[in-house]
Amino acid sequence: MEETFVPFRGIKNDLKGRLKCYKQDWTGGFRAGFRILAPTTYIFFASAIPVISFGEQLERDTNGALTAVQTLASTALCGIIHSIVGGQPLLILGVAEPTVLMYTFMFNFAKDRKDLGEKLFLAWTGWVCAWTALLLFLLSILGACSIINRFTRIAGELFGLLIAMLFMQQAIRGVVEEFGIPQRENPNQMSLQPSWRFGNGMFALVLSFGLLYTGLRSRKARSWRYGSGSLRGFIADYGVPLMVLVWTAVSYIPVNNVPRGIPRRLFSPNPWSPGAYSNWTIVKEMLDVPPLYIVGAFIPATMIAVLYYFDHSVASQLAQQKEFNLKKPPSYHYDLLLLGFLTILCGLIGIPPSNGVIPQSPMHTKSLATLKHQLLRNKLVSTARKSLQRNSNLSQLYRNMQEAYNEMQTPLVYQMPPALGLKEMKESTIELASSSGYIDAPVDETVFDVDKDIDDLLPVEVKEQRLSNLLQALMVGGCVAAMPLLKKIPTSVLWGYFAFMAIENLPGNQFWERILLLFTAPSRRYKVLEENHATFIETVPFKSIAAFTLFQTVYLLLCFGITWIPIAGVLFPLLIMLLVPARQYLLPKFFKAVHLQDLDAAEYEEAPAISYNMTFEERAIDIDGGEILDEMITRSRGEIRHSQSPKITSSTPTSLEDKRSPHSPSMQRAYSPRVRELRVERSPSLSGKGLEVKKIPSPGPSNLGQSSNGSSPC
């Protein structure tokens, strides 16, 4: 994105680029037909469940001033408007955890002021939103989004880990409160007696950990050995909302002789209940706020504007990653301007604003990439099979597939050249055919494997359209009318979902992976190389990794600690923004530029696993007898495992090459982008210098089970 700070130029360029493809944004969605419902449903569940959880958190933290009705209404309203008139339709809007945190800070400030209090809390937040909108207008007009590329991995991953910590903090706090007495309840009722409170708390632990465990397991369903591929994919995509339903059903099992109110469930007034719509008219009370607090609202508004500028821009950036090969232009400046209008709209009707959310936005793009892949694959497979039936040669086959591919595209004057994947497919297939002498012969499955070649070489593309965003926002709005059903969800299930979101944010976060590396025993760090790992592990000294991680950890704890300070907690977005100058001007003084480039890489670079061979004597240094015994015997019956050679039959190939398995470790060679054909050997200095990679000859056969003449068996 071009860095321009000329007023209005960024907004003008965004509008000019997006208006050219506005019609195609709608026609592309409708042309997908019913297939568009798959990514729509997927992102709906990913958006609705967190928003309901945030509503329950706000209801507790604001004494009922804000509930799940308001968070759902904000997510639906902002999502509908953004999907229709927004710039980047791949961006998903919703009420996020930082917004909940900021509103909690403001409520705690307002409730202790006699001339403000809980009565004028929402009216005061209306002024906060007005100031926030004004600042967002200025940022978008002056082209502040031009520096979005300066938000490097160090800021994004630290912010992501901070959100994970806040999620886990709320999950733990919620479970602990299940053992206590809610503020809004009568302490004399049966369900709040000490014995029943303990029973409610223990049942809450079962429901919370049950959802957490099954949710994490279901997310890995694609790697299961059981079930068909479509079933595993369905469980992986929709397993978490299904687990919410399952554990909600489990909560209704203890119905006999159990007081009403165990377990505790989501509390929220219905949208049509008397007094439930008082939030929508708080604009009438905004003039009742004392002038001092109207001016003072600028302080939290500044922090919220900084937070939204960062969170909204990073969410949009992640939804438009280079790996997705998007063909339509971005829209950072205009979307930030629209966010300002949405913020003031939400403030005037007494609901918390919505902004771009992570990880829902990149999840939306990924689901649409899957949809586009399915549409392209079905079209090309059908075309290829028809060409094979007509005995077409390679040139005719490619021409037919090229025409089919072009039919699926929506050409734009500024898009990237199409059919890159088909070009690679053509070159690889023709090369194979030329080597086999089939270049002019009719194509068959031996030359062109329809399923395999198309799946492997079809380029990653995204079905860029607005329909899925609009439909998921409408479905979230439908949850407002379904509030009587949503109130049947136990609060403990929501706390389990908070813990799930915290843990789910950790994989792929290199900051978290480096923390785990620091806690890894020096003698076991070689195991990191035996799996796919980040490339900096091979290129950066361990001391530099430790120092960089320590800096991030201290900074993270500082950001997390400031959220515990009642009034100063609103300053935590400012600390996130300060990471930008710290990365540019402070860290280069302590770290080499090449090391910073690897530790703070723009993309997630991963190196393949490196085989590691150790003799029995080397392993015995760091493995105790119990660990060796665990590897030798079975867990159920305690039988010793015996290795057996493959049975040789009359039909078994007799040559050594045929008898060796292609997957045998001895047949594979380790490869890494930076460490070519190396084998890793543990060095005595490993604990001091971290991971060392040395060139050594391939080891000979293992000495396990053999003894020299002078040695005695143990």
Side-chain angles (χ1 to χ4, degrees), residues 293-333:
Y293 293 105
I294 294 177
V295 177
F298 183 80
I299 298 176
T302 303
M303 298 300 103
I304 295 177
V306 170
L307 175 65
Y308 282 2
Y309 165 67
F310 175 81
D311 203 10
H312 196 75
S313 300
V314 171
S316 182
Q317 185 184 42
L318 293 178
Q320 305 174 78
Q321 297 176 64
K322 183 175 66 175
E323 291 80 4
F324 291 130
N325 297 323
L326 301 183
K327 298 180 180 179
K328 297 179 181 179
S331 178
Y332 291 101
H333 308 276

Side-chain angles (χ1 to χ4, degrees), residues 113 167 277 333 375 437 591 596 667-668:
R113 303 298 187 273
F167 280 153
Y277 46 82
H333 308 276
L375 295 174
F591 298 92
L596 277 180
M667 299 293 291
Q668 297 178 347

Side-chain angles (χ1 to χ4, degrees), residues 322-602:
K322 183 175 66 175
E323 291 80 4
F324 291 130
N325 297 323
L326 301 183
K327 298 180 180 179
K328 297 179 181 179
S331 178
Y332 291 101
H333 308 276
Y334 170 69
D335 282 348
L336 191 64
L337 178 70
L338 179 61
L339 179 62
F341 285 106
L342 295 176
T343 300
I344 194 172
L345 174 62
C346 292
L348 293 178
I349 59 178
I351 59 178
S354 295
N355 66 285
V357 288
I358 305 171
Q360 288 88 339
S361 296
M363 287 169 60
H364 183 217
T365 308
K366 182 180 178 181
S367 63
L368 292 175
T370 303
L371 171 64
K372 186 63 176 289
H373 181 86
Q374 293 173 348
L375 295 174
L376 284 174
R377 184 185 184 281
N378 292 341
K379 182 70 173 180
L380 295 181
V381 167
S382 175
T383 302
R385 294 196 184 281
K386 291 180 181 178
S387 299
L388 294 179
Q389 293 175 358
R390 298 171 184 171
N391 295 326
S392 302
N393 57 31
L394 277 177
S395 178
Q396 295 170 338
L397 171 65
Y398 174 75
R399 189 183 307 113
N400 295 336
M401 295 180 63
Q402 182 71 63
E403 293 175 356
Y405 183 88
N406 292 337
E407 290 178 5
M408 300 291 293
Q409 304 302 311
T410 305
L412 302 171
V413 294
Y414 43 77
Q415 73 178 22
M416 298 293 292
L420 178 62
L422 292 183
K423 179 181 179 181
E424 296 174 354
M425 183 185 300
K426 177 184 178 182
E427 292 175 352
S428 62
T429 306
I430 289 180
E431 181 181 356
L432 175 62
S434 299
S435 61
S436 304
Y438 295 124
I439 187 65
D440 296 323
V443 182
D444 57 15
E445 293 288 344
T446 60
V447 178
F448 184 82
D449 190 333
V450 175
D451 295 322
K452 182 178 183 301
D453 288 343
I454 292 180
D455 277 336
D456 292 345
L457 299 175
L458 195 62
V460 176
E461 294 185 17
V462 177
K463 190 67 175 177
E464 301 178 63
Q465 40 74 48
R466 297 178 180 269
L467 186 59
S468 60
N469 201 340
L470 175 62
L471 292 178
Q472 71 86 23
L474 290 173
M475 294 170 70
V476 172
C479 291
V480 178
M483 189 54 63
L485 294 177
L486 296 179
K487 289 194 293 185
K488 298 182 180 298
I489 301 176
T491 54
S492 52
V493 170
L494 298 181
W495 308 141
Y497 187 77
F498 270 105
F500 167 80
M501 288 191 294
I503 297 176
E504 189 68 10
N505 281 339
L506 299 180
N509 190 316
Q510 290 189 358
F511 180 21
W512 173 251
E513 294 174 357
R514 282 187 273 107
I515 292 177
L516 296 180
L517 180 63
L518 294 186
F519 284 96
T520 303
S523 59
R524 295 300 182 90
R525 289 180 191 145
Y526 71 91
K527 288 183 173 292
V528 178
L529 290 175
E530 292 185 333
E531 302 175 351
N532 290 346
H533 53 276
T535 55
F536 67 80
I537 294 179
E538 300 178 5
T539 60
V540 182
F542 182 77
K543 289 184 178 179
S544 297
I545 296 176
F548 188 81
T549 307
L550 183 62
F551 166 78
Q552 271 189 292
T553 304
V554 173
Y555 206 97
L556 172 66
L557 295 177
L558 178 63
C559 294
F560 181 71
I562 201 173
T563 61
W564 285 72
I565 304 176
I567 298 179
V570 297
L571 299 176
F572 83 92
L574 189 60
L575 293 178
I576 301 295
M577 291 297 298
L578 288 177
L579 276 175
V580 176
R583 169 63 178 87
Q584 282 191 295
Y585 305 109
L586 179 62
L587 292 181
K589 296 181 180 180
F590 299 95
F591 298 92
K592 294 182 179 180
V594 64
H595 294 163
L596 277 180
Q597 184 177 0
D598 289 339
L599 291 170
D600 195 29

Side-chain angles (χ1 to χ4, degrees), residues 205-219:
L205 287 175
V206 173
L207 296 177
S208 299
F209 280 96
L211 176 74
L212 175 62
Y213 177 76
T214 55
L216 292 174
R217 293 284 295 178
S218 65
R219 288 292 292 161

